[in-house]
Amino acid sequence: QVHLVESGGGSVQAGGALRLSCAVSGCTFSTCNMGWFRQAPGKEREGVAAIGTNGVAKFSESVQGRFTMFKDNAKVILGLQMNSLKPEDTAIYYCAAGGGRWRSSDFLNIENYNYWGQGTQVTVSS
């Protein structure tokens, strides 16, 4: 069984930064594609960033250049460094994982992910 636990959410002013972490058990970066998704109030959950089992990373256009990912292979921790935050980044952020060999076009597709964390709130004030 795969378990994911997010941490690091909080409140910050626009232009600030936050760092999220996701502790994963039950799979590794070699066996699971992993990603970050977010859901704002009244909106659908959307893909933010993901990394495939081949090590290729993909970011949504809305966060490209502002967000980066980091990982600890030994501890199986996937992180999301969020810089230059905007009020529109306010959402619950979820970590997710899914097995298989994917094309990069699959990385931000929510339907491909089988396992989800409980989410962590990120609030950006103007």
Side-chain angles (χ1 to χ4, degrees), residues 9-104:
S11 298
V12 66
Q13 289 191 326
L18 281 174
R19 188 179 176 96
L20 307 181
S21 292
C22 175
V24 183
S25 61
C27 67
T28 68
F29 289 108
S30 298
T31 60
C32 285
N33 306 281
M34 300 185 194
W36 288 96
F37 291 76
R38 66 186 181 186
Q39 188 165 17
K43 295 187 177 182
E44 292 186 354
R45 194 170 298 188
E46 63 174 357
V48 174
I51 184 165
T53 55
N54 57 5
V56 175
K58 186 177 178 72
F59 296 85
S60 68
E61 290 186 5
S62 62
V63 307
Q64 182 76 47
R66 299 188 297 123
F67 291 11
T68 59
M69 285 187 293
F70 60 91
K71 60 188 182 82
D72 183 322
N73 290 329
K75 297 180 179 178
V76 197
I77 294 175
L78 178 67
L80 184 69
Q81 177 67 43
M82 305 183 293
N83 298 327
S84 301
L85 283 162
K86 305 175 181 180
E88 52 264 43
D89 294 318
T90 294
I92 299 175
Y93 282 70
Y94 299 90
C95 180
R101 288 187 177 184
W102 299 354
R103 298 167 298 181
S104 60

Side-chain angles (χ1 to χ4, degrees), residues 98-117:
R101 288 187 177 184
W102 299 354
R103 298 167 298 181
S104 60
S105 58
D106 297 325
F107 287 179
L108 298 181
N109 185 341
I110 189 173
E111 296 180 358
N112 291 330
Y113 290 82
N114 306 110
Y115 306 100
W116 293 85

